[in-house]
């Protein structure tokens, strides 16, 4: 019998605030310290309070797929539009990584607790 579901758990200082943020980002339903895909397809995200602050770069991050199928400036425009929406929610823009012949452009960001994620 294989694994049927996964949950992604974030250590954080303010679980309900983080859950609200990510529910807005992903179009998920906010459920206290968690957010859930209303279609039941994506993983549940759970946010647990920990006493220590984030100190180093994440070893794992989420890619928020907003530019799928787009290339060049059309892709960058889609990334920039979503970036503006997320900055209004409290995210921080870190840097745009331009296409390099191997990877398409992506935009590195941080959530409200400083966790890195990419708009891809």
């Amino acid at each position: 019998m294989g694994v049927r579901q996964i949950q992604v758990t974030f250590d954080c200082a303010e679980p309900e605030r983080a859950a609200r943020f990510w529910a807005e980002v992903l179009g998920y339903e906010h459920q206290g310290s968690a957010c859930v895909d209303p279609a039941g397809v994506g993983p549940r995200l759970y946010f647990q309070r920990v006493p220590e602050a984030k100190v180093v770069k994440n070893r794992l991050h989420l890619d928020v797929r907003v530019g799928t199928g787009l290339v060049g400036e059309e892709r960058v425009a889609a990334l920039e539009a979503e970036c503006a929406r997320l900055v209004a929610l409290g995210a921080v823009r870190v840097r745009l990584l331009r296409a390099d012949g191997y990877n398409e452009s992506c935009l590195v960001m941080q959530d409200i607790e400083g966790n890195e994620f990419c708009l891809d």
Side-chain angles (χ1 to χ4, degrees), residues 13-84:
E14 298 180 64
E16 288 201 26
R17 180 173 176 243
R20 275 193 308 276
F21 170 82
W22 280 103
E24 279 292 318
V25 170
L26 300 173
Y28 274 28
E29 294 173 356
H30 174 229
Q31 297 179 350
S33 295
C35 57
V36 178
D37 180 357
V41 177
R44 178 178 191 255
L45 304 183
Y46 180 71
F47 302 86
Q48 66 184 9
R49 186 180 318 275
V50 295
E52 67 276 1
K54 180 180 179 295
V55 197
V56 298
K57 183 180 181 298
N58 303 4
R59 293 291 306 224
L60 172 77
H61 69 268
L62 299 181
D63 285 344
V64 179
R65 310 286 316 272
V66 298
T68 303
L70 303 175
V71 296
E73 291 307 311
E74 186 179 16
R75 181 182 179 89
V76 172
L79 299 176
E80 294 289 359
E82 184 65 2
C83 176

Side-chain angles (χ1 to χ4, degrees), residues 69 77 83 85 90 106 109 115:
C83 176
R85 182 181 83 85
C106 71
M109 301 193 70
N115 297 302

